[in-house]
Amino acid sequence: MSYDFKKVEKKWQEKWEKEGTFNAKNDFSMPKWYGLIEFPYPSGQGLHVGHPRSYTALDIVARKKRLQGYNVLYPIGFDAFGLPAENYAMKNHIHPRITTENNINHFRQQLKSLGFSFDWSREVNTTDPNYYKWTQWIFIQLYKKGLAYKATMPINFCTGCKVGLANEEVVNGVCERCGSPVVQKEKSQWMLKITEYAQRLIDDLKDVDFLDKIKAQQINWIGRSEGAEVEFKLDNVDESLKVYTTRPDTIFGVTYMVIAPEHKLIEKYKDKIENLDEVNEYKRKASLKSDFERSELNKEKTGVEIKGIKVINPLTGEKVPLWISDYVLSTYGTGAIMAVPCHDDRDFEFAKKFNLPIKQVIAPKFLDEKNPPRKDAKDTKRHVTTCIIKHPKEDKFLVLKYKDREWQSLVMGGIEENETVIDAAIREMTEETGYFDVKNSYQINATTCDKFYAAHKEVNREIVQECTVIELNSLDKKDVSEEEENKYEKVWVEKDKLLDYINIESQKFQIDMFLNEKAFTELDGAVAINSDFLNGLSAEEAKKKATEYVKKEGLGEKQVNYKLRDWVFSRQRYWGEPIPMVYCDDCGWNPIDEKELPLVLPEIEDYEPGENGESPLSKKPEWIKTKCPKCGKDARRETDTMPQWAGSSWYFLRYMDPHNNDALASKEALEYWSPIDWYNGGMEHTTLHLLYSRFWHKFLYDIGVVPTKEPYQKRTSHGMILGGNGEKMSKSKGNVINPDDIVEEFGADSFRVYEMFMGPFDQTAPWSMESIRGCSKFLDRVWNLKDKVVEKEEYSPKFESMMHKAIKKVSEDIEEMKFNTAVATFMTMVNEFSKEKEITKGEYKTFLILLNPFAPHMTEELFKEIGEEKDISETSWPTYDEAKTIDDEIEIPIQMNGKLKTTVKVSKDATEDEVKEVVKENETVKQLLKDKTVVKEIYVPGKIFNIVVK
RNA sequence: GCCGAUGUGGCGAAAUUGGCAGACGCACAUGACUCAAAAUCAUGCGGGAAACCUUGUGGGUUCGAGUCCCACCAUCGGCACCA
């Protein structure tokens, strides 16, 4: 009889549901395993094929762990607050609660049809007051510890919908829904101080097992940088400007200062500013720009000099101009910077545009690898200049090709005392080449530092090499000494060949700087120059020394900064958890009494936001009106709600004890189930959800609620499933695959096996209808094997090692997320079984148990077909004997000079001499060795035999 | 620009971590069954007539490199004026 997946899958799903087969046990003495997948947002579109990829993977692990004797918690729930339901309500006047409930029912049915072994008795729903009671409770604890505060922050405001938008809803500066421009609007918002945990969020990553790319992205997002805060005194005013810099080693190179348009200095010293109107106009324009315009549309730098205020460089005493520009962000550091155009790309661009001076204070250091400085030799210094000499008519430059050595070099020579660099350059040029008729000459910021051992003088040389550009007026010449004339050939090289022609590293650098004007930002192997007491120090040492100096002088100190900002926690929306805060004119903000939780979201008729983007709840005066929890006078409730990230920041704790009315979960449950052993989810949640939930967890740890510092011991990410055309699935592209259709056509087992087989779990993979058919065919062959089963519990000699190998391979693959190769192992086994007339019941049973986590319905049914009384879910995971995974006879490849020639068969415990004997007797080897001499023989036991011949 | 990943047959991909490149599947081809097709089963399937050549390109280390090192190219993902 052929396999009727519809009937069988339904049968087992009903049995599992009725019996609660997969519910976690409240037996805290058992070893536990807690697997978690990201609970879905129940959207109107239903389940996406991406969901089952993650759910199947951990379902496989969960099912295996249960068979291995663990008490497994594999829960599911719904993250049901959020925008789509609210938008739908605005349009169709259906309460979000109703749409949400319908969607959840649809999701639940879809998930059950795939046979996941979720513990449905622990299902949570973030919109359930019994759930969000605890979300609100956590918020109040945060408030009590000073981690929740109100601040005025700019939000994205859609001018069309009159509503605050999340960043994700702003696309190219306009509203995702209506296309109206989005502006920044100042709004008083609840904020959470995640920045207080920034360092711990980085440090504690070392204790958890997250994929490296996940750790890297988190660290990146937090964006720690080390530097110094330095005060620059203003000229003629008793005030200083504080800046943050990561390059205190470059303070000598500061040529101007910049403050952000929002910087308060302007308001404070407006009397001093000579061009106040101009400055205010710039400020006004900047404030009109959205963040998007500031960064994307406006790559070209803008700014205005603040005339009348000069800033004093604390290290040089030099007075430098102060500018206002929006390339400096008010929200990072101190909102002001010291500009070092020579060593910062942005400052360089700005200086070029406004013609501000550029001063080099860091130089690259070049070590001659063939002649490294010697410890026993004396250090000497030289000061030289190189000359980039331009042809009067053509776009060519002069290079000296030395006759006595391999140098192809610019004209160069020492700078004498009392001589300027340019004078020295022209003198050297004339001495070496005779040219003297100069049209133009100038020095460029391309000084280098060369260090090497000069053998002819037996000293170490340190050469500071400046770079001068000389444009010739004519090729008129003076006489050159014969010695100079014979030393080298003079070659005019075209501009674009110059870099390749020169063969001295430091000069290559100089030419690169000359041809492509840019900032020199390298730190590695760079040294300070033109920097007084820092001269000669490596950039790293200079950083340290400059910071020490500044600190000693009381001008600043070491400082760590983070890119991470505090979390804007309010939404001017209806469909979210009400923020449980009350404002009283006398007592200010206070949380409601915890006994009053949950603060239930009231019913409303009108979901539209107010004219100025107020929350829809602000139109419900009878709800707003309340008593001050502190003094009892009339007071009003907060009308903003929490963001969707709130409910998902702790849901995994509720699963541990979902029906508890006295705490978010009992101490015992938290102690037993924490931490989550394995959490899998999308890469898109790496920076927000993962960071937010880790932050809340750390806070809960600090106040003694949870027992672990980190919520998730292990975090992995699955790759996205693309449409058949290799593009992201989307309605508009018409490449969306509906899981229901797949289950209908092929059944849940085929669907599950295919999603695991399609490719490496953590990489994106395109959907293929042909391949799923292949998986379906594979399961049919598994089904048909039952007719070959003979009553015998042992493995037959033919299959013994294959069985042990397979148990090992599949067990390991599941732990390492290599589900695709586990499926390949099953397929290979079926191929082998199919070749035989009969297979033993023992072999088939082991095979079915191994396959069960992947294809749970069919394997359970087959277990019954072959007459087993127990369900697979009541049996245990097979074990293997390492010794039996090795074949008695092994094939050894024979290589000659590393190239495969033939193979020989030897016993698994053959000695090296025995193997050698077999190899020597091999006909192919004899033939090949005929006219060759054996130089060497390499035998890697059990692996390979390589003969090196001449 | 910065961070990360990936590059292997016509396609999705394997490769015990330095040891027989292409397991397994798809597609394709041939054969069996069939009046025929589908399904199923069997066989073949990187290139080349061969010696040999083949893991994005070019170097290197090694008896031996898809795997390690250096330089580059391409594609994808994330961040992006963060001083």
Side-chain angles (χ1 to χ4, degrees), chain A residues 387-399 410 435 469-472 475 490-498 511 514-515:
Chain A
C387 313
I388 298 177
I389 301 165
K390 187 173 181 298
H391 194 279
K393 294 201 178 66
E394 296 166 60
D395 213 5
K396 287 183 176 173
F397 298 87
L398 189 65
V399 180
L410 295 169
Y435 300 127
V469 179
I470 301 173
E471 296 171 13
L472 289 178
L475 292 180
K490 292 184 272 285
V491 190
W492 288 102
V493 179
E494 281 165 40
K495 191 177 182 174
D496 53 347
K497 304 257 167 64
L498 195 55
I511 288 159
F514 167 66
L515 295 174

mmCIF file of all heavy atoms in Angstrom, chain A residues 387-399 410 435 469-472 475 490-498 511 514-515:
data_model
loop_
_atom_site.group_PDB
_atom_site.id
_atom_site.type_symbol
_atom_site.label_atom_id
_atom_site.label_comp_id
_atom_site.label_asym_id
_atom_site.label_seq_id
_atom_site.Cartn_x
_atom_site.Cartn_y
_atom_site.Cartn_z
ATOM 1 N N CYS A 387 62.336 65.263 -4.889
ATOM 2 C CA CYS A 387 61.781 66.256 -5.802
ATOM 3 C C CYS A 387 60.942 65.587 -6.869
ATOM 4 O O CYS A 387 61.448 64.745 -7.619
ATOM 5 C CB CYS A 387 62.901 67.032 -6.498
ATOM 6 S SG CYS A 387 64.179 67.593 -5.372
ATOM 7 N N ILE A 388 59.676 65.936 -6.897
ATOM 8 C CA ILE A 388 58.833 65.482 -7.991
ATOM 9 C C ILE A 388 58.915 66.571 -9.050
ATOM 10 O O ILE A 388 58.348 67.661 -8.892
ATOM 11 C CB ILE A 388 57.389 65.245 -7.515
ATOM 12 C CG1 ILE A 388 57.377 64.144 -6.449
ATOM 13 C CG2 ILE A 388 56.484 64.911 -8.685
ATOM 14 C CD1 ILE A 388 56.023 63.867 -5.832
ATOM 15 N N ILE A 389 59.696 66.325 -10.128
ATOM 16 C CA ILE A 389 59.995 67.368 -11.108
ATOM 17 C C ILE A 389 59.126 67.176 -12.335
ATOM 18 O O ILE A 389 59.157 66.121 -12.984
ATOM 19 C CB ILE A 389 61.489 67.329 -11.498
ATOM 20 C CG1 ILE A 389 62.344 67.538 -10.232
ATOM 21 C CG2 ILE A 389 61.809 68.374 -12.560
ATOM 22 C CD1 ILE A 389 63.796 67.158 -10.410
ATOM 23 N N LYS A 390 58.340 68.204 -12.629
ATOM 24 C CA LYS A 390 57.397 68.084 -13.751
ATOM 25 C C LYS A 390 57.975 68.714 -15.017
ATOM 26 O O LYS A 390 58.573 69.784 -14.990
ATOM 27 C CB LYS A 390 56.067 68.753 -13.393
ATOM 28 C CG LYS A 390 54.995 68.519 -14.443
ATOM 29 C CD LYS A 390 53.641 69.040 -14.025
ATOM 30 C CE LYS A 390 52.585 68.751 -15.098
ATOM 31 N NZ LYS A 390 52.845 69.387 -16.377
ATOM 32 N N HIS A 391 57.813 68.033 -16.115
ATOM 33 C CA HIS A 391 58.244 68.476 -17.441
ATOM 34 C C HIS A 391 57.510 69.772 -17.800
ATOM 35 O O HIS A 391 56.326 69.913 -17.496
ATOM 36 C CB HIS A 391 57.915 67.362 -18.446
ATOM 37 C CG HIS A 391 58.592 67.523 -19.764
ATOM 38 N ND1 HIS A 391 58.115 68.363 -20.746
ATOM 39 C CD2 HIS A 391 59.715 66.951 -20.274
ATOM 40 C CE1 HIS A 391 58.908 68.297 -21.806
ATOM 41 N NE2 HIS A 391 59.902 67.444 -21.545
ATOM 42 N N PRO A 392 58.201 70.733 -18.433
ATOM 43 C CA PRO A 392 57.556 72.014 -18.748
ATOM 44 C C PRO A 392 56.363 71.882 -19.696
ATOM 45 O O PRO A 392 55.421 72.674 -19.627
ATOM 46 C CB PRO A 392 58.676 72.844 -19.380
ATOM 47 C CG PRO A 392 59.749 71.877 -19.735
ATOM 48 C CD PRO A 392 59.626 70.728 -18.815
ATOM 49 N N LYS A 393 56.396 70.942 -20.590
ATOM 50 C CA LYS A 393 55.318 70.875 -21.599
ATOM 51 C C LYS A 393 54.429 69.640 -21.456
ATOM 52 O O LYS A 393 53.220 69.719 -21.577
ATOM 53 C CB LYS A 393 55.938 70.883 -22.997
ATOM 54 C CG LYS A 393 56.639 72.198 -23.301
ATOM 55 C CD LYS A 393 56.800 72.410 -24.770
ATOM 56 C CE LYS A 393 57.449 73.752 -25.060
ATOM 57 N NZ LYS A 393 58.864 73.814 -24.569
ATOM 58 N N GLU A 394 55.073 68.497 -21.190
ATOM 59 C CA GLU A 394 54.298 67.256 -21.172
ATOM 60 C C GLU A 394 53.942 66.837 -19.736
ATOM 61 O O GLU A 394 54.521 67.332 -18.792
ATOM 62 C CB GLU A 394 55.114 66.131 -21.828
ATOM 63 C CG GLU A 394 55.392 66.390 -23.297
ATOM 64 C CD GLU A 394 56.468 65.456 -23.837
ATOM 65 O OE1 GLU A 394 56.226 64.239 -23.777
ATOM 66 O OE2 GLU A 394 57.517 65.938 -24.278
ATOM 67 N N ASP A 395 53.007 65.892 -19.670
ATOM 68 C CA ASP A 395 52.587 65.392 -18.353
ATOM 69 C C ASP A 395 53.515 64.256 -17.912
ATOM 70 O O ASP A 395 53.092 63.117 -17.752
ATOM 71 C CB ASP A 395 51.130 64.911 -18.435
ATOM 72 C CG ASP A 395 50.401 65.136 -17.123
ATOM 73 O OD1 ASP A 395 51.004 65.744 -16.213
ATOM 74 O OD2 ASP A 395 49.246 64.712 -17.012
ATOM 75 N N LYS A 396 54.808 64.619 -17.782
ATOM 76 C CA LYS A 396 55.806 63.608 -17.438
ATOM 77 C C LYS A 396 56.661 64.090 -16.271
ATOM 78 O O LYS A 396 56.777 65.293 -16.040
ATOM 79 C CB LYS A 396 56.716 63.340 -18.631
ATOM 80 C CG LYS A 396 56.048 62.542 -19.735
ATOM 81 C CD LYS A 396 57.023 62.264 -20.845
ATOM 82 C CE LYS A 396 56.389 61.393 -21.909
ATOM 83 N NZ LYS A 396 57.274 61.250 -23.072
ATOM 84 N N PHE A 397 57.260 63.129 -15.602
ATOM 85 C CA PHE A 397 58.052 63.455 -14.420
ATOM 86 C C PHE A 397 59.426 62.806 -14.498
ATOM 87 O O PHE A 397 59.577 61.738 -15.104
ATOM 88 C CB PHE A 397 57.306 63.005 -13.172
ATOM 89 C CG PHE A 397 55.998 63.722 -13.016
ATOM 90 C CD1 PHE A 397 54.843 63.239 -13.632
ATOM 91 C CD2 PHE A 397 55.918 64.910 -12.294
ATOM 92 C CE1 PHE A 397 53.646 63.913 -13.525
ATOM 93 C CE2 PHE A 397 54.722 65.585 -12.178
ATOM 94 C CZ PHE A 397 53.580 65.088 -12.799
ATOM 95 N N LEU A 398 60.394 63.449 -13.858
ATOM 96 C CA LEU A 398 61.783 63.013 -13.992
ATOM 97 C C LEU A 398 62.148 61.936 -12.966
ATOM 98 O O LEU A 398 61.929 62.102 -11.766
ATOM 99 C CB LEU A 398 62.717 64.221 -13.818
ATOM 100 C CG LEU A 398 64.186 63.963 -14.138
ATOM 101 C CD1 LEU A 398 64.373 63.633 -15.625
ATOM 102 C CD2 LEU A 398 65.027 65.182 -13.781
ATOM 103 N N VAL A 399 62.704 60.834 -13.479
ATOM 104 C CA VAL A 399 63.172 59.761 -12.601
ATOM 105 C C VAL A 399 64.615 59.433 -12.936
ATOM 106 O O VAL A 399 64.998 59.433 -14.112
ATOM 107 C CB VAL A 399 62.305 58.493 -12.767
ATOM 108 C CG1 VAL A 399 62.808 57.382 -11.854
ATOM 109 C CG2 VAL A 399 60.841 58.794 -12.465
ATOM 110 N N LEU A 410 63.398 59.257 -7.430
ATOM 111 C CA LEU A 410 63.256 60.698 -7.641
ATOM 112 C C LEU A 410 64.605 61.348 -7.338
ATOM 113 O O LEU A 410 65.433 60.763 -6.644
ATOM 114 C CB LEU A 410 62.206 61.265 -6.677
ATOM 115 C CG LEU A 410 60.765 60.782 -6.866
ATOM 116 C CD1 LEU A 410 59.926 61.232 -5.681
ATOM 117 C CD2 LEU A 410 60.173 61.310 -8.171
ATOM 118 N N TYR A 435 69.031 71.176 -14.539
ATOM 119 C CA TYR A 435 67.840 72.023 -14.714
ATOM 120 C C TYR A 435 67.802 73.089 -13.623
ATOM 121 O O TYR A 435 68.136 72.837 -12.475
ATOM 122 C CB TYR A 435 66.564 71.184 -14.662
ATOM 123 C CG TYR A 435 66.496 70.125 -15.737
ATOM 124 C CD1 TYR A 435 66.244 68.789 -15.417
ATOM 125 C CD2 TYR A 435 66.676 70.454 -17.093
ATOM 126 C CE1 TYR A 435 66.179 67.819 -16.402
ATOM 127 C CE2 TYR A 435 66.623 69.481 -18.075
ATOM 128 C CZ TYR A 435 66.384 68.173 -17.739
ATOM 129 O OH TYR A 435 66.329 67.221 -18.699
ATOM 130 N N VAL A 469 57.524 69.500 -4.833
ATOM 131 C CA VAL A 469 57.105 69.424 -6.241
ATOM 132 C C VAL A 469 57.711 70.617 -6.972
ATOM 133 O O VAL A 469 57.613 71.757 -6.505
ATOM 134 C CB VAL A 469 55.567 69.456 -6.371
ATOM 135 C CG1 VAL A 469 55.156 69.414 -7.837
ATOM 136 C CG2 VAL A 469 54.955 68.292 -5.604
ATOM 137 N N ILE A 470 58.392 70.364 -8.081
ATOM 138 C CA ILE A 470 58.985 71.452 -8.870
ATOM 139 C C ILE A 470 58.443 71.371 -10.283
ATOM 140 O O ILE A 470 58.566 70.344 -10.957
ATOM 141 C CB ILE A 470 60.530 71.344 -8.906
ATOM 142 C CG1 ILE A 470 61.106 71.385 -7.484
ATOM 143 C CG2 ILE A 470 61.134 72.455 -9.768
ATOM 144 C CD1 ILE A 470 62.596 71.113 -7.427
ATOM 145 N N GLU A 471 57.812 72.454 -10.730
ATOM 146 C CA GLU A 471 57.351 72.502 -12.118
ATOM 147 C C GLU A 471 58.362 73.322 -12.904
ATOM 148 O O GLU A 471 58.637 74.474 -12.566
ATOM 149 C CB GLU A 471 55.968 73.149 -12.200
ATOM 150 C CG GLU A 471 54.916 72.322 -11.475
ATOM 151 C CD GLU A 471 53.561 73.041 -11.358
ATOM 152 O OE1 GLU A 471 53.364 74.070 -12.040
ATOM 153 O OE2 GLU A 471 52.732 72.575 -10.567
ATOM 154 N N LEU A 472 58.922 72.739 -13.943
ATOM 155 C CA LEU A 472 59.947 73.434 -14.721
ATOM 156 C C LEU A 472 59.319 74.374 -15.739
ATOM 157 O O LEU A 472 58.239 74.117 -16.282
ATOM 158 C CB LEU A 472 60.838 72.427 -15.453
ATOM 159 C CG LEU A 472 61.785 71.606 -14.577
ATOM 160 C CD1 LEU A 472 62.557 70.629 -15.454
ATOM 161 C CD2 LEU A 472 62.751 72.507 -13.811
ATOM 162 N N LEU A 475 63.639 73.426 -20.267
ATOM 163 C CA LEU A 475 64.629 72.375 -20.038
ATOM 164 C C LEU A 475 66.058 72.926 -20.152
ATOM 165 O O LEU A 475 67.006 72.176 -20.366
ATOM 166 C CB LEU A 475 64.427 71.219 -21.011
ATOM 167 C CG LEU A 475 63.142 70.404 -20.800
ATOM 168 C CD1 LEU A 475 63.052 69.278 -21.819
ATOM 169 C CD2 LEU A 475 63.061 69.848 -19.393
ATOM 170 N N LYS A 490 68.691 59.690 -17.019
ATOM 171 C CA LYS A 490 67.538 60.531 -16.651
ATOM 172 C C LYS A 490 66.352 60.155 -17.544
ATOM 173 O O LYS A 490 66.462 60.191 -18.763
ATOM 174 C CB LYS A 490 67.896 62.001 -16.818
ATOM 175 C CG LYS A 490 68.932 62.441 -15.792
ATOM 176 C CD LYS A 490 69.246 63.900 -15.869
ATOM 177 C CE LYS A 490 70.334 64.256 -16.832
ATOM 178 N NZ LYS A 490 71.715 63.974 -16.478
ATOM 179 N N VAL A 491 65.269 59.771 -16.908
ATOM 180 C CA VAL A 491 64.112 59.289 -17.668
ATOM 181 C C VAL A 491 62.878 60.142 -17.359
ATOM 182 O O VAL A 491 62.576 60.392 -16.192
ATOM 183 C CB VAL A 491 63.788 57.816 -17.298
ATOM 184 C CG1 VAL A 491 62.748 57.232 -18.240
ATOM 185 C CG2 VAL A 491 65.048 56.973 -17.305
ATOM 186 N N TRP A 492 62.204 60.608 -18.420
ATOM 187 C CA TRP A 492 60.911 61.295 -18.213
ATOM 188 C C TRP A 492 59.815 60.244 -18.276
ATOM 189 O O TRP A 492 59.638 59.581 -19.284
ATOM 190 C CB TRP A 492 60.692 62.371 -19.276
ATOM 191 C CG TRP A 492 61.578 63.571 -19.083
ATOM 192 C CD1 TRP A 492 62.712 63.867 -19.768
ATOM 193 C CD2 TRP A 492 61.379 64.625 -18.139
ATOM 194 N NE1 TRP A 492 63.269 65.034 -19.314
ATOM 195 C CE2 TRP A 492 62.456 65.536 -18.293
ATOM 196 C CE3 TRP A 492 60.428 64.899 -17.145
ATOM 197 C CZ2 TRP A 492 62.593 66.694 -17.529
ATOM 198 C CZ3 TRP A 492 60.555 66.045 -16.399
ATOM 199 C CH2 TRP A 492 61.629 66.925 -16.583
ATOM 200 N N VAL A 493 59.084 60.086 -17.187
ATOM 201 C CA VAL A 493 58.078 59.020 -17.092
ATOM 202 C C VAL A 493 56.678 59.630 -17.078
ATOM 203 O O VAL A 493 56.433 60.640 -16.413
ATOM 204 C CB VAL A 493 58.303 58.189 -15.808
ATOM 205 C CG1 VAL A 493 57.251 57.096 -15.669
ATOM 206 C CG2 VAL A 493 59.689 57.585 -15.808
ATOM 207 N N GLU A 494 55.790 59.006 -17.813
ATOM 208 C CA GLU A 494 54.406 59.501 -17.860
ATOM 209 C C GLU A 494 53.748 59.371 -16.491
ATOM 210 O O GLU A 494 54.027 58.440 -15.739
ATOM 211 C CB GLU A 494 53.600 58.700 -18.881
ATOM 212 C CG GLU A 494 53.871 59.145 -20.300
ATOM 213 C CD GLU A 494 53.369 58.125 -21.301
ATOM 214 O OE1 GLU A 494 52.269 57.579 -21.068
ATOM 215 O OE2 GLU A 494 54.082 57.874 -22.295
ATOM 216 N N LYS A 495 52.818 60.296 -16.263
ATOM 217 C CA LYS A 495 52.158 60.376 -14.952
ATOM 218 C C LYS A 495 51.601 59.026 -14.466
ATOM 219 O O LYS A 495 51.843 58.611 -13.336
ATOM 220 C CB LYS A 495 51.018 61.386 -15.067
ATOM 221 C CG LYS A 495 50.397 61.792 -13.766
ATOM 222 C CD LYS A 495 49.335 62.836 -14.041
ATOM 223 C CE LYS A 495 48.695 63.329 -12.770
ATOM 224 N NZ LYS A 495 47.765 64.437 -13.081
ATOM 225 N N ASP A 496 50.870 58.335 -15.350
ATOM 226 C CA ASP A 496 50.220 57.105 -14.878
ATOM 227 C C ASP A 496 51.171 55.915 -14.789
ATOM 228 O O ASP A 496 50.795 54.855 -14.310
ATOM 229 C CB ASP A 496 48.982 56.780 -15.730
ATOM 230 C CG ASP A 496 49.311 56.736 -17.209
ATOM 231 O OD1 ASP A 496 50.408 57.200 -17.586
ATOM 232 O OD2 ASP A 496 48.479 56.243 -17.982
ATOM 233 N N LYS A 497 52.428 56.092 -15.266
ATOM 234 C CA LYS A 497 53.395 54.994 -15.159
ATOM 235 C C LYS A 497 54.322 55.209 -13.958
ATOM 236 O O LYS A 497 55.067 54.323 -13.569
ATOM 237 C CB LYS A 497 54.266 54.928 -16.424
ATOM 238 C CG LYS A 497 53.484 54.804 -17.709
ATOM 239 C CD LYS A 497 53.531 53.363 -18.235
ATOM 240 C CE LYS A 497 52.521 53.113 -19.315
ATOM 241 N NZ LYS A 497 52.769 53.914 -20.532
ATOM 242 N N LEU A 498 54.266 56.435 -13.432
ATOM 243 C CA LEU A 498 55.228 56.867 -12.417
ATOM 244 C C LEU A 498 55.283 55.917 -11.217
ATOM 245 O O LEU A 498 56.354 55.491 -10.792
ATOM 246 C CB LEU A 498 54.847 58.282 -11.968
ATOM 247 C CG LEU A 498 55.880 59.085 -11.193
ATOM 248 C CD1 LEU A 498 57.195 59.178 -11.946
ATOM 249 C CD2 LEU A 498 55.338 60.490 -10.904
ATOM 250 N N ILE A 511 54.525 59.702 -4.113
ATOM 251 C CA ILE A 511 53.905 59.927 -5.419
ATOM 252 C C ILE A 511 52.405 59.674 -5.342
ATOM 253 O O ILE A 511 51.600 60.402 -5.909
ATOM 254 C CB ILE A 511 54.592 59.037 -6.474
ATOM 255 C CG1 ILE A 511 55.986 59.596 -6.734
ATOM 256 C CG2 ILE A 511 53.796 58.997 -7.768
ATOM 257 C CD1 ILE A 511 56.942 58.605 -7.328
ATOM 258 N N PHE A 514 50.873 62.613 -3.876
ATOM 259 C CA PHE A 514 50.901 63.713 -4.836
ATOM 260 C C PHE A 514 49.806 63.535 -5.890
ATOM 261 O O PHE A 514 49.087 64.466 -6.235
ATOM 262 C CB PHE A 514 52.282 63.768 -5.509
ATOM 263 C CG PHE A 514 52.354 64.640 -6.712
ATOM 264 C CD1 PHE A 514 52.182 66.024 -6.608
ATOM 265 C CD2 PHE A 514 52.588 64.098 -7.976
ATOM 266 C CE1 PHE A 514 52.239 66.832 -7.730
ATOM 267 C CE2 PHE A 514 52.636 64.902 -9.098
ATOM 268 C CZ PHE A 514 52.470 66.271 -8.976
ATOM 269 N N LEU A 515 49.646 62.313 -6.382
ATOM 270 C CA LEU A 515 48.675 62.067 -7.450
ATOM 271 C C LEU A 515 47.241 62.021 -6.927
ATOM 272 O O LEU A 515 46.332 62.534 -7.568
ATOM 273 C CB LEU A 515 49.004 60.741 -8.159
ATOM 274 C CG LEU A 515 50.332 60.694 -8.918
ATOM 275 C CD1 LEU A 515 50.589 59.290 -9.441
ATOM 276 C CD2 LEU A 515 50.337 61.689 -10.070
#
